Amino acid sequence: MFKNRSYVVGIGTGIIVGALLLQLMSVRVSAPAPTSVAIDDLDPQKLKERTSKYYQVFDKDTVVYTQAELDKKVKEETDKRLAVKPQEQPKVKEAEASSKTIVYVQPNLDATAVSELLFKAGVISDRKAFATELEKQGGNYKIQVGFHVFEGPQDIQKVVLNLITAQQ
């Protein structure tokens, strides 16, 4: 039985150390008693700063719309614009004719993304025609990164030339 004395001593030491570690793990540090602070005692600015880390904080007077309400308002405004009298529409067209559109082309955008960007900005009206013209001029990979200014209505050739020439 005492042939492997070091083996038995090791097992005994392991059991003792394991029991001590188990006791250490089961003992927890008592948490301090929670301090209750009335909301009225807190400074509104400090409360706003603390909660803004985790939540969006708006003032009580700020109107916040849901997505459905926002869509409804946009639809109403669009309907109002479509209901404009015919005499007033040319004035709007003249204002758009002299308008300036600035588009920022980000790095690593392909030709499809740029055509979508220009379409949404109102610079071009046909994405396929733009893509064809861009390919014809060899500008698919030559689109310059940065701000591009488009003044008034332009044909597609001028738009492509503006995109592939270096900006000063």
Side-chain angles (χ1 to χ4, degrees), residues 30-168:
S30 62
T35 58
S36 61
V37 177
I39 293 177
D40 297 335
D41 296 341
L42 291 177
D43 181 31
Q45 187 63 28
K46 287 182 182 178
L47 184 63
K48 187 174 182 179
E49 288 173 8
R50 286 183 185 173
T51 56
S52 65
K53 290 180 186 177
Y54 305 106
Y55 303 101
Q56 288 183 339
V57 179
F58 300 104
D59 290 331
K60 194 173 186 177
D61 301 333
T62 305
V63 178
V64 180
Y65 295 106
T66 63
Q67 187 64 39
E69 292 171 338
L70 181 65
D71 292 340
K72 183 179 175 184
K73 292 252 185 216
V74 168
K75 186 175 185 305
E76 288 174 2
E77 291 298 320
T78 306
D79 292 342
K80 285 180 186 177
R81 283 194 152 189
L82 294 176
V84 173
K85 295 178 185 175
Q87 300 126 357
E88 295 177 11
Q89 285 182 348
K91 294 178 185 176
V92 174
K93 295 291 183 186
E94 291 171 7
E96 288 178 1
S98 64
S99 69
K100 185 191 310 187
T101 305
I102 300 173
V103 176
Y104 178 70
V105 177
Q106 298 176 351
N108 301 325
L109 282 183
D110 61 345
T112 307
V114 172
S115 67
E116 183 68 27
L117 183 69
L118 292 173
F119 180 76
K120 286 183 179 179
V123 175
I124 60 172
S125 59
D126 187 13
R127 289 179 229 151
K128 288 185 180 183
F130 173 76
T132 306
E133 183 64 31
L134 191 64
E135 188 175 329
K136 186 173 26 169
Q137 291 192 20
N140 281 338
Y141 301 103
K142 296 179 182 178
I143 297 174
Q144 298 293 318
V145 174
F147 292 99
H148 297 276
V149 179
F150 302 97
E151 294 184 20
Q154 294 184 351
D155 59 343
I156 294 179
Q157 291 85 7
K158 289 182 181 178
V159 172
V160 171
L161 187 63
N162 188 342
L163 288 173
I164 61 177
T165 57
Q167 299 292 318
Q168 303 298 343

